[in-house]
Amino acid sequence: MPVSNNDKPVRAKDRFIVFGAPVIGDREIEEVVASMKSGWLGTGPKVAQFEQDMKSYKEVQYAVAVNSCTAALHLSILAAGIKPGDEVITTPLTFCATVNAIIHAGATPVMADVDPVTMNLDPQRVREKITPKTRAVVPVHFAGYPCDMDSLCAIAAQHDLKIIEDCAHAIETESQGRTAGTFGDFGCMSFYVTKNVVTGEGGMVITNDEEHAARLKVLALHGMSKDAWKRFSDDGFKHYQVVEAGFKYNMMDLQAAIGIHQLAKVDDLWVRRQEIWAQYDEAFQGLPLGLPATIGEGDRHSYHLYTVLVDEAKTGLDRDSFLNAMTAQGIGVGVHYLSLPEHEFYRKTYGWKTEDVPHATRIGRQTVSLPLSAKLTDEDVNDVISAVKKVLGQ
Ligand SMILES: *Cc1c(COP(=O)(O)O)cnc(C)c1O
């Protein structure tokens, strides 16, 4: 047994490293305070500014801020014209929100297995799942590793499918110099507390299609005609028309106040996470762990999640014991993700089986996400490395 219970943990209890800590600076705090003092808490000038900043960062024509990535995905699928009964292909190795958004839109989710190395949708498996009802594909740039967008876009073009990219992990991700979220029709981002840019809760859709952007805006605010957003300005009273039954998905200025300053330092935070990533890679060479795939030439990883695979046959330790042992060492860990058919709801409702997606299922049963945040000090990183070695008995 690799770990003895009597061992002193690497970190004292009061120095526990939380998994995925956000980096909040004085600028974010001051901007939130400024919003509070202005009295303008809801959707207003700061949301507009955050959208502008994101458009510049992603070099895209339209950006629509909403209150989560789940909302961003839901609205994008609707704006893509997906109707009840349509099939939408996605990955089983994702957060449940990806597939729930497909379900909320009334469509039928269909799983295609991942590539065992990149952990992203395998285009060949996608091809096999296409039926006359297939209308869209929702790829997830898992952990920040770019999907094979060339192949997925070729499949979409051939079968007239829409692509909605789940970029919750992938704000900084690029493939052959092109930024994630601009290959397909829509790119959806998350600013949830553990993501690379945070607003507490929050999300955004980017697109280069004017009509799509207009529909997203209407859907995000009760289905009110697009002039309704002008209600949030002070140039005179405006009546609005409800043109369809929309949702209440708009972002608040209080959230955008944080996001503006988070986005301003997104590349600085990325550089720090890249350093940590390289330290992990070096320290874990030679350990009996599966390590993240190296990135292709001309691609950019977002370094959102550093995941290792714990194969009991090699480590003598199963994944859940590894998780518990790391926690006992004072290190916060995560699991991204149990494959979706591990959840009874999806098995019962869609007849999904873990055997149908063997790669995602094996990864989901072996994977452990280690702390990866620009907030980690060198000492923190060394403690994570020591804890991993100790838990493995090295
Ligand atoms: C976090 C996450 C989401 C959901 O984002 P929210 O902003 O919390 O709604 C969707 N997809 C993936 C892959 C995620 O990691």
Side-chain angles (χ1 to χ4, degrees):
M1 208 45 222
V3 199
S4 123
N5 288 335
N6 305 326
D7 277 355
K8 205 166 144 272
V10 165
R11 304 278 288 197
K13 257 218 171 79
D14 58 347
R15 291 179 60 242
F16 190 88
I17 300 181
V18 294
F19 177 82
V23 184
I24 306 293
D26 290 340
R27 295 221 163 117
E28 287 90 323
I29 293 168
E30 282 156 20
E31 196 78 48
V32 170
V33 171
S35 279
M36 303 280 282
K37 287 188 173 157
S38 81
W40 203 308
L41 309 183
T43 306
K46 295 209 162 124
V47 169
Q49 158 115 45
F50 188 31
E51 290 173 338
Q52 280 302 330
D53 294 352
M54 187 61 81
K55 286 197 307 194
S56 313
Y57 180 70
K58 297 295 269 182
E59 294 178 357
V60 72
Q61 288 193 344
Y62 303 96
V64 178
V66 289
N67 56 18
S68 71
C69 183
T70 310
L73 289 163
H74 181 196
L75 297 189
S76 297
I77 294 164
L78 291 174
I82 307 302
K83 300 264 179 318
D86 291 348
E87 291 177 359
V88 177
I89 300 175
T90 193
T91 166
L93 194 66
T94 185
F95 187 53
C96 59
T98 313
V99 77
N100 289 349
I102 297 169
I103 298 168
H104 293 328
T108 305
V110 174
M111 285 185 309
D113 204 1
V114 297
D115 177 288
V117 176
T118 67
M119 305 187 184
N120 282 326
L121 261 184
D122 180 338
Q124 188 47 37
R125 300 283 91 79
V126 171
R127 246 180 236 289
E128 292 162 10
K129 296 291 176 176
I130 292 175
T131 75
K133 289 184 179 166
T134 309
R135 291 287 175 274
V137 182
V138 182
V140 177
H141 303 283
F142 180 80
Y145 193 106
C147 289
D148 178 356
M149 293 312 296
D150 280 353
S151 302
L152 292 174
C153 289
I155 294 169
Q158 192 185 350
H159 296 272
D160 194 19
L161 309 177
K162 293 276 197 273
I163 293 186
I164 297 119
E165 296 175 62
D166 182 335
C167 300
H169 300 176
I171 290 177
E172 311 91 334
T173 294
E174 291 175 8
S175 179
Q176 302 305 306
R178 188 161 160 191
T179 188
T182 63
F183 290 87
D185 300 273
F186 302 89
C188 300
M189 284 169 284
S190 174
F191 312 124
Y192 177 66
V193 287
T194 57
K195 303 290 160 81
N196 289 356
V197 164
V198 306
T199 63
E201 299 285 357
M204 205 178 291
V205 187
I206 54 171
T207 178
N208 280 314
D209 184 301
E210 187 178 0
E211 274 178 40
H212 284 159
R215 179 94 195 283
L216 289 167
K217 283 217 148 195
V218 168
L219 284 168
L221 198 66
H222 306 293
M224 294 182 338
S225 57
K226 71 172 194 285
D227 286 345
W229 286 77
K230 298 213 181 101
R231 288 194 313 138
F232 299 125
S233 76
D234 50 11
D235 44 66
F237 188 86
K238 292 268 187 339
H239 285 288
Y240 57 84
Q241 279 286 309
V242 173
V243 295
E244 62 180 312
F247 302 87
K248 185 64 165 70
Y249 281 169
N250 54 307
M251 178 182 277
M252 299 195 290
D253 266 25
L254 281 178
Q255 296 165 299
I258 307 171
I260 290 165
H261 297 288
Q262 286 276 298
L263 189 57
K265 63 187 180 194
V266 62
D267 288 323
D268 293 338
L269 300 180
W270 179 88
V271 167
R272 175 61 185 146
R273 290 197 312 278
Q274 186 188 39
E275 273 171 21
I276 297 168
W277 187 284
Q279 284 169 297
Y280 283 164
D281 265 356
E282 199 192 319
F284 302 147
Q285 292 301 324
L287 293 186
L289 292 173
L291 299 185
T294 40
I295 192 93
E297 184 106 18
D299 290 351
R300 187 187 194 210
H301 202 296
S302 74
Y303 303 120
H304 177 54
L305 295 173
Y306 191 95
T307 64
V308 296
L309 297 177
V310 178
D311 178 352
E312 191 175 357
K314 292 184 189 140
T315 58
L317 192 67
D318 67 78
R319 192 271 307 276
D320 288 0
S321 303
F322 185 92
L323 291 171
N324 289 329
M326 286 296 287
T327 310
Q329 292 298 321
I331 310 292
V333 283
V335 172
H336 303 88
Y337 301 91
L338 282 180
S339 75
L340 291 175
E342 300 271 16
H343 301 275
E344 189 187 1
F345 167 75
Y346 300 115
R347 285 202 304 277
K348 268 193 171 160
T349 313
Y350 301 102
W352 290 354
K353 298 194 193 76
T354 50
E355 308 89 273
D356 294 341
V357 286
H359 293 310
T361 296
R362 179 185 53 82
I363 292 165
R365 290 175 183 175
Q366 295 184 349
T367 191
V368 175
S369 302
L370 299 177
L372 180 62
S373 157
K375 204 165 181 178
L376 299 180
T377 63
D378 287 339
E379 191 193 353
D380 295 335
V381 174
N382 286 331
D383 284 354
V384 174
I385 291 168
S386 303
V388 168
K389 291 185 172 167
K390 195 166 171 181
V391 165
L392 292 174
Q394 307 264 332

